[in-house]
Amino acid sequence: ESGLNRFVEAAVAAGVPASLALARTANELASLAPKAEDLPEGDFARLLALEDAGELSATQSKKVLAELVAAGGGEAKAVAASLGFEAMDTGALDAVLDHVIAENPGEWERFREGDDKLAGFFTGKVMALTKGQADGKAVNQGLRARRG
């Protein structure tokens, strides 16, 4: 009924996972209606492809989407660059993870012992230190790899 299903279809046709396309459409794009209806489907699909590839974090992708909708479209990479968004390299993320773990030894020990809820605690700390630049999926992968 909202007319936004065409965005999901375009993103999926471009190779974006349906779960990501549905989430961004139902949450962010729907909240930007009716202006969102003017966004070219291809611009939406290219943005989600960047997020899916890990070039943008979910937080960054949402901000770029808002800018694209406000402008009536555009090149997602160019908008991301104008906002100062770049994917964090693995080495930089590893250093931040090591720092956060070292600063929170009690929480780290509890996480290592199986308190999975603390993944959110550590992810939040990393996101705060990186000002949202870190990819949440990569943070979780790094935490789980360190936990063993």
Side-chain angles (χ1 to χ4, degrees):
E1 292 177 21
S2 66
L4 298 177
N5 59 332
R6 61 192 169 94
F7 291 100
V8 174
E9 292 167 359
V12 170
V16 173
S19 59
L20 175 58
L22 286 166
R24 289 290 165 272
T25 301
N27 297 320
E28 286 71 38
L29 205 56
S31 73
L32 298 169
K35 183 81 171 138
E37 295 169 17
D38 297 333
L39 181 68
E41 295 93 346
D43 293 353
F44 179 73
R46 283 185 287 281
L47 169 62
L48 296 191
L50 292 173
E51 181 180 348
D52 184 49
E55 293 183 43
L56 293 175
S57 70
T59 302
Q60 293 169 336
S61 180
K62 292 172 188 179
K63 290 179 183 176
V64 171
L65 179 58
E67 293 290 324
L68 288 173
V69 168
E75 180 54 47
K77 275 192 175 192
V79 173
S82 75
L83 294 171
F85 295 156
E86 298 174 7
M88 282 189 76
D89 71 29
T90 305
L93 179 58
D94 285 341
V96 173
L97 276 168
D98 291 343
H99 173 77
V100 169
I101 289 168
E103 291 289 312
N104 299 281
E107 288 84 355
W108 178 246
E109 190 56 36
R110 289 183 15 231
F111 178 72
R112 289 193 56 179
E113 292 172 355
D115 189 349
D116 289 337
K117 290 183 255 175
L118 285 167
F121 168 82
F122 286 107
T123 301
K125 294 283 188 187
V126 169
M127 291 303 201
L129 285 173
T130 64
K131 296 180 175 79
Q133 296 273 342
D135 179 356
K137 291 179 205 174
V139 171
N140 280 319
Q141 288 172 346
L143 288 169
R144 303 226 185 280
R146 283 167 173 74
R147 178 164 77 175

